[in-house]
Amino acid sequence: MEYNAKAIEKKWQDFWEENQAYEPKPDKTLPKKYILSMFPYPSGNIHMGHVRNYCISDAIARKFRKEGFNVLHPIGWDAFGMPAENAAIKHKTHPKVWTYSNIENMKRQLYSLGFSFSKTREFATCDSIYSKWEQSLFIAMWEKGLIYRKKGFLNWCPKDQTVLANEQVIEGKCWRCDTPVVQKEMYQYYIKITDYAQELLDDLETLEGKWPNQVLTMQRNWIGRSEGLKFTFKLENKIEYSKGAIENIEVFTTRPDTIFGVSYCALAPEHPLVKAVLENAESYGITQKQTEQILAIQNTSEKERAQQDKEGVPLGISVIHPLTHAKIPLWVANFVLISYGSGAVMSVPAHDERDYDFAKKYHLPILPVIIAKDSKAKLAKENFYDGNGILIHSQEFNGLDNEEAKIKIIEYFEKNQLGKAVVNFKLRDWGVSRQRYWGTPIPLVHCKDCGIVAETNLPVTLPEDVVIDGEGNPLDKHPYWKHCACPQCGKNAVRETDTLDTFVESSWYFLRYTTPTQLRQEEAFSRADESYWMDVDEYIGGIEHAILHLLYSRFFTKVLRSLGYTDSSEPFSHLLTQGMVTKEGAKMSKSKGNVVDPEEIIAQYGADTARLFILFAAPPVRELEWNDFALEGSYRFIKRLCAKVEKIQKIQNLPKIQSQNLNEKEKYARKKVYEALKKYQETFCHANGYAFNTLIAACMEALNALNEQDNAEIWSEGYFILLNILEPIIPHICWELSQEYFCLQNFTEIPIDKEALKEDSIIMAITINGKRRGEIKVDLTSSNGEILNLAKAEVAKWIEGKTILKEIVVPKKLVNFVVQ
């Protein structure tokens, strides 16, 4: 049969759509599988990364459908976000028009690959009905106290009058107008993810062996649980300023054993004490130049500060050490962040490298309080030691092991009411405000009499008559949209003009897929459907989402469980992080000029070739290097598969073949076919990593073995099985050939014929004095004498003229001759 990819693929894509072949069934008594790939952003065109991601999930979904599972395999669109606004400016179009146009184009491209997505479950996160339920969830979290509003520092472009994401700040300047970016304190909405920090950490243990270890480690480090001591340093003299008085500063340390080595304290430039000092800078001896230095640090993003050399400014005031009563100078330092802890740290230069570098630069005292137990231990720097050891210069704690000293010093602080033991987390509450147009409006109203009030008429939709020029927030500048009546008292009020971070949309979309289309107007989640489908059985996406998206999704699931929407505590039972697609050693990108267009591949070779190559070129978790020659090889394999169908017979049941009546080549062909079937059953298992490449290789070997024999019955059995195995990978041609020759009756679970896998003979190695010199093929029924005779004949040149001292036969493995 001649291979006509274009005609075959259109025929079966039309058939699957007309018959709704891939819609989940309403029968909840069936065993289920929820297979999900991370949904795409509608940028305009799919790329090879999309192809790889969805080929993996599609293969898994197809396999389980054939085995009688009820499969949910949905697709949707992560459709809000800044790129749409940037495109609106560039192309002079509306973000909504741009987004939905891109969705239609990408949908066409994805379906041209034959992906078995449910079309009835599809949605875009910018759909108003999706916004309605997201806003409903927001209000439920707001009313439970899980969302709050406070001031926070943001990247601000003074020229464009807009907030910028970290990615839009390039070398400290606005990406659009090159204006230096400043840090502006503005009101923000925060979600209290920290309330779930311990549960998020603890439940990672339930994902061991189910998620990649690398992802679990990254999340543990991001959550960053630490135990330590929280206490205060009392100011030498209290500070009076416009917002009141400050008498002390609070710090947290995981190293209370080093407390006697504190030689200065460092503050973030945004710390209230710094603001208080700057109000009366002259009286504290702060020069204009120093004020400018502090403001410059404040106007540098946290990301940039982390990359800079250590810098600081003395504040000219001191705090009192709670144990030694020594005066400790206060400094503003660029390495202290207001977003972590209290924005103040105790600095111990002798035992912390960051503190040491700062102290050396500004000639601050270095006070060693721990020495190594081993007197031969070498110091990496002068008076610097960051290992474990024995306390010195630490009053009554001298001589203690530093780990023991941690406990004793915390006990002392608690006993004397100087401080207390606390658990701290690196995880910060999640700031979700965005001063942007193309996002979900935050459903709150500001009323002079009632305060902040939740909207009652949802969804709050975006106005379409907006001017998007990149200058300021289009919603805040809209002439009438933000003006409304207070839902509580009816008086004039103002809508919140911030929109939500797009990570909010992607933090619960997997739950929304479980709700059938006909129920989506009335409820966020159908509990009957959600409890049936959740948790996601296999989640597939890039490791770049290891922290934010995956952590936020875990958090949202736990919150929604607390609010009674779900019984799930973890959203994704298994996680597969696929590697990126590269070409010429680099990730594909337009800027590098190494992009491969999937549409061109489909037009030239067909969708099945693209699918076969993408799954054959590398295991899913590894990077995939593009290879034009290997693509051609995949195409040739499919053509050869078609060309050999003339050798098979039309059947509807697997033929029963007696092995004893077959010759060696026929037995070998059956063996390779059933080895491929065995590999198929092993491949579709999370623990085995979905090694499609080795499965495809096994199918290629089987086809080669079939080609070495002429038994039509074995050809028919071979194709009956191989088309079943290959259907999840190259579905179009498998449906075409299976319909023609087997009436699709081969698309069912096929048992392995163990007789076909039995060996009649084996290969045995031959060694002489322990060195391998050859091998022989022997029947399993051969005696040791027969084996030795065959072995001697095979290695005759190696034993000629030698005396055989010993002959050893290791059953089914090797023959060894000891000679001299």
Side-chain angles (χ1 to χ4, degrees):
M1 168 186 151
E2 190 173 340
Y3 179 44
N4 183 341
K6 190 172 183 180
I8 291 169
E9 287 167 6
K10 184 180 188 310
K11 168 187 171 180
W12 287 106
Q13 287 167 18
D14 290 345
F15 175 86
W16 295 329
E17 182 166 5
E18 288 165 11
N19 289 274
Q20 294 193 312
Y22 301 127
E23 296 305 326
K25 298 177 176 63
D27 185 355
K28 296 182 178 62
T29 64
L30 293 170
K32 70 89 183 179
K33 287 290 180 182
Y34 185 177
I35 311 300
L36 181 63
S37 284
M38 295 179 185
F39 62 172
Y41 178 78
S43 57
N45 291 289
I46 65 170
H47 51 69
M48 293 312 298
H50 290 129
V51 176
R52 191 178 198 198
N53 193 0
Y54 301 122
C55 277
I56 294 167
S57 68
D58 194 58
I60 297 169
R62 286 177 175 277
K63 194 265 187 181
F64 283 114
R65 274 195 208 93
K66 286 191 301 179
E67 293 185 354
F69 284 88
N70 193 7
V71 174
L72 176 58
H73 182 223
I75 187 70
W77 309 93
D78 192 9
F80 272 137
M82 216 158 37
E85 290 194 43
N86 297 340
I89 297 167
K90 182 178 179 180
H91 302 297
K92 294 181 170 53
T93 186
H94 194 283
K96 183 175 181 180
V97 173
W98 184 83
T99 298
Y100 280 103
S101 172
N102 287 352
I103 286 173
E104 288 307 308
N105 186 53
M106 290 178 71
K107 193 191 303 186
R108 175 188 59 79
Q109 292 174 321
L110 286 174
Y111 281 111
S112 73
L113 281 153
F115 293 139
S116 62
F117 296 128
S118 163
K119 293 193 173 184
T120 65
R121 301 291 173 113
E122 182 190 341
F123 58 75
T125 57
C126 60
D127 295 342
S128 60
I129 190 62
Y130 194 85
S131 294
K132 172 184 176 179
W133 296 115
E134 181 157 297
Q135 290 166 345
S136 173
L137 298 177
F138 181 97
I139 291 169
M141 293 168 73
W142 170 265
E143 291 174 346
K144 195 178 179 183
L146 283 169
I147 297 177
Y148 62 94
R149 185 174 184 254
K150 74 166 187 177
K151 281 191 173 180
F153 284 87
L154 301 167
N155 302 316
W156 178 261
C157 175
K159 182 176 183 298
D160 288 345
Q161 292 290 295
T162 187
V163 169
L164 303 174
N166 286 335
E167 293 76 19
Q168 292 179 308
V169 180
I170 301 170
E171 295 181 354
K173 297 178 180 179
C174 174
W175 70 285
R176 284 189 69 236
C177 65
D178 220 27
T179 301
V181 170
V182 300
Q183 297 293 297
K184 184 175 181 180
E185 194 173 25
M186 299 172 63
Y187 276 109
Q188 289 274 282
Y189 291 91
Y190 293 86
I191 299 181
K192 294 180 74 174
I193 190 172
T194 52
D195 278 12
Y196 287 78
Q198 190 62 54
E199 187 180 353
L200 286 166
L201 185 64
D202 291 343
D203 284 358
L204 288 173
E205 292 184 16
T206 68
L207 302 174
E208 292 281 357
K210 301 173 183 177
W211 282 32
N213 287 333
Q214 184 182 0
V215 175
L216 299 178
T217 299
M218 290 168 75
Q219 289 214 3
R220 286 191 177 102
N221 291 340
W222 189 263
I223 295 167
R225 186 183 194 275
S226 58
E227 298 178 5
L229 173 68
K230 184 167 75 173
F231 67 100
T232 58
F233 284 101
K234 188 176 177 64
L235 281 164
E236 183 181 16
N237 299 296
K238 73 177 179 179
I239 304 285
E240 300 276 1
Y241 80 123
S242 59
K243 293 189 177 181
I246 300 176
E247 297 186 18
N248 51 54
I249 61 168
E250 184 179 87
V251 298
F252 167 80
T253 179
T254 59
R255 295 295 306 275
D257 52 322
T258 65
I259 195 165
F260 289 93
V262 176
S263 65
Y264 66 97
C265 283
L267 304 177
E270 302 87 356
H271 194 283
L273 179 59
V274 179
K275 295 179 182 178
V277 170
L278 290 183
E279 271 193 14
N280 301 284
E282 194 173 328
S283 62
Y284 291 105
I286 305 294
T287 66
Q288 180 64 30
K289 182 180 179 181
Q290 288 175 319
T291 299
E292 290 172 359
Q293 282 180 284
I294 293 170
L295 294 177
I297 296 171
Q298 187 181 107
N299 284 327
T300 304
S301 70
E302 292 184 359
K303 182 180 178 182
E304 286 184 284
R305 288 188 215 176
Q307 298 167 345
Q308 292 177 339
D309 292 336
K310 305 293 178 287
E311 292 183 4
V313 178
L315 284 176
I317 57 177
S318 299
V319 291
I320 305 301
H321 194 293
L323 301 183
T324 67
H325 306 297
K327 292 182 181 179
I328 307 295
L330 291 178
W331 284 69
V332 175
N334 65 347
F335 61 79
V336 185
L337 305 177
I338 194 67
S339 62
Y340 180 66
S342 64
V345 298
M346 68 174 218
S347 296
V348 185
H351 307 292
D352 181 277
E353 191 164 13
R354 179 197 61 191
D355 297 346
Y356 178 89
D357 292 342
F358 190 89
K360 290 293 283 186
K361 181 173 182 175
Y362 294 105
H363 310 292
L364 297 168
I366 299 171
L367 311 173
V369 292
I370 297 175
I371 57 171
K373 294 176 183 177
D374 182 358
S375 59
K376 296 179 182 178
K378 294 181 180 179
L379 299 180
K381 299 176 180 178
E382 182 185 1
N383 290 327
F384 178 80
Y385 176 67
D386 60 356
N388 289 325
I390 303 298
L391 263 65
I392 59 171
H393 307 312
S394 300
Q395 297 181 1
E396 71 245 51
F397 304 102
N398 284 338
L400 288 177
D401 175 270
N402 74 292
E403 291 298 329
E404 182 185 0
K406 287 180 183 179
I407 299 168
K408 295 288 186 183
I409 290 172
I410 290 175
E411 287 175 352
Y412 181 89
F413 267 78
E414 290 190 320
K415 181 180 177 182
N416 292 279
Q417 298 183 324
L418 296 172
K420 62 179 181 177
V422 295
V423 173
N424 209 355
F425 294 92
K426 283 172 62 179
L427 183 67
R428 301 291 92 203
D429 281 342
W430 174 13
V432 294
S433 300
R434 298 293 180 267
Q435 291 69 38
R436 288 291 179 187
Y437 166 74
W438 193 238
T440 303
I442 291 177
L444 297 174
V445 170
H446 299 268
C447 175
K448 288 182 181 179
D449 293 336
C450 305
I452 301 178
V453 181
E455 291 268 13
T456 53
N457 187 20
L458 302 179
V460 179
T461 57
L462 293 166
E464 296 195 16
D465 56 335
V466 290
V467 176
I468 300 173
D469 53 15
E471 297 181 5
N473 181 353
L475 293 178
D476 198 42
K477 296 189 296 180
H478 195 276
Y480 59 84
W481 179 85
K482 66 181 180 180
H483 300 291
C484 64
C486 172
Q488 200 160 294
C489 69
K491 294 180 182 177
N492 290 339
V494 177
R495 275 200 181 95
E496 177 58 68
T497 57
D498 284 0
T499 54
L500 287 172
D501 176 10
T502 56
F503 273 110
V504 175
E505 278 92 71
S506 60
S507 295
W508 65 282
Y509 80 107
F510 45 89
L511 280 158
R512 181 64 168 167
Y513 279 140
T514 67
T515 303
T517 308
Q518 65 271 22
L519 301 178
R520 287 181 176 172
Q521 291 290 335
E522 303 304 320
E523 50 191 339
F525 314 113
S526 158
R527 282 308 305 271
D529 290 281
E530 175 275 324
S531 61
Y532 171 67
W533 288 113
M534 288 296 289
D535 303 340
V536 175
D537 294 284
E538 194 70 57
Y539 195 41
I540 300 137
I543 199 164
E544 66 270 20
H545 301 291
I547 297 174
L548 298 183
H549 164 59
L550 288 169
L551 187 66
Y552 293 156
S553 296
R554 296 181 60 227
F555 163 65
F556 248 76
T557 301
K558 294 177 190 303
V559 169
L560 294 177
R561 178 207 60 206
S562 300
L563 294 172
Y565 288 101
T566 180
D567 293 324
S568 293
S569 291
E570 287 291 335
F572 314 121
S573 295
H574 295 95
L575 173 69
L576 188 154
T577 51
Q578 94 279 2
M580 69 176 68
V581 181
T582 62
K583 187 178 182 185
E584 297 159 0
K587 182 180 179 181
M588 287 187 182
S589 71
K590 290 180 181 177
S591 61
K592 293 188 177 74
N594 65 346
V595 171
V596 174
D597 185 353
E599 285 206 273
E600 291 180 7
I601 301 300
I602 295 167
Q604 185 174 354
Y605 298 102
D608 280 342
T609 296
R611 293 172 65 120
L612 184 66
F613 167 77
I614 212 82
L615 294 177
F616 183 44
V621 296
R622 300 276 181 84
E623 282 189 0
L624 186 158
E625 174 69 15
W626 187 264
N627 184 315
D628 291 328
F629 180 76
L631 181 69
E632 288 276 359
S634 295
Y635 181 59
R636 287 195 300 272
F637 172 75
I638 297 174
K639 288 181 72 175
R640 195 153 56 92
L641 190 70
C642 292
K644 299 297 181 182
V645 293
E646 62 195 37
K647 296 179 179 287
I648 68 178
Q649 303 165 333
K650 293 187 177 184
I651 56 174
Q652 292 191 31
N653 295 296
L654 197 65
K656 293 181 180 178
I657 299 173
Q658 301 300 320
S659 294
Q660 63 268 26
N661 300 326
L662 305 178
N663 62 37
E664 189 172 331
K665 288 185 176 180
E666 291 168 344
K667 286 180 181 179
Y668 183 70
R670 291 194 77 225
K671 179 172 175 288
K672 298 310 288 184
V673 167
Y674 278 100
E675 281 180 352
L677 181 59
K678 188 170 183 288
K679 176 70 72 176
Y680 173 73
Q681 294 176 354
E682 295 167 350
T683 296
F684 286 88
C685 171
H686 177 86
N688 294 332
Y690 300 107
F692 299 114
N693 56 319
T694 59
L695 172 61
I696 293 166
C699 291
M700 291 176 172
E701 288 178 13
L703 187 60
N704 289 338
L706 286 170
N707 201 43
E708 293 298 315
Q709 58 83 52
D710 296 313
N711 187 321
E713 199 172 30
I714 290 173
W715 270 104
S716 302
E717 179 192 44
Y719 264 68
F720 194 96
I721 294 170
L722 288 179
L723 294 178
N724 179 308
I725 294 172
L726 289 166
E727 188 274 341
I729 299 163
I730 47 174
H732 305 89
I733 190 60
C734 289
W735 278 70
E736 178 72 10
L737 298 180
S738 294
Q739 183 200 46
E740 176 68 21
Y741 291 94
F742 311 125
C743 297
L744 302 177
Q745 295 304 302
N746 59 324
F747 287 170
T748 185
E749 198 166 358
I750 299 173
I752 291 175
D753 184 347
K754 294 180 181 178
E755 194 68 30
L757 294 175
K758 282 185 178 179
E759 298 275 4
D760 290 334
S761 60
I762 55 168
I763 303 296
M764 295 182 71
I766 308 169
T767 60
I768 299 175
N769 292 344
K771 290 187 177 181
R772 187 184 178 100
R773 298 300 188 189
E775 61 183 31
I776 53 173
K777 185 175 184 180
V778 300
D779 290 340
L780 288 172
T781 57
S782 298
S783 66
N784 281 3
E786 291 171 323
I787 292 170
L788 288 168
N789 288 335
L790 285 169
K792 287 173 185 176
E794 180 66 24
V795 295
K797 69 176 181 178
W798 297 100
I799 59 176
E800 186 178 357
K802 304 279 177 66
T803 302
I804 297 176
L805 302 178
K806 190 179 289 187
E807 300 171 342
I808 302 168
V809 177
V810 179
K812 298 184 180 181
K813 289 188 178 180
L814 61 83
V815 178
N816 183 44
F817 295 113
V818 179
V819 304
Q820 70 173 20

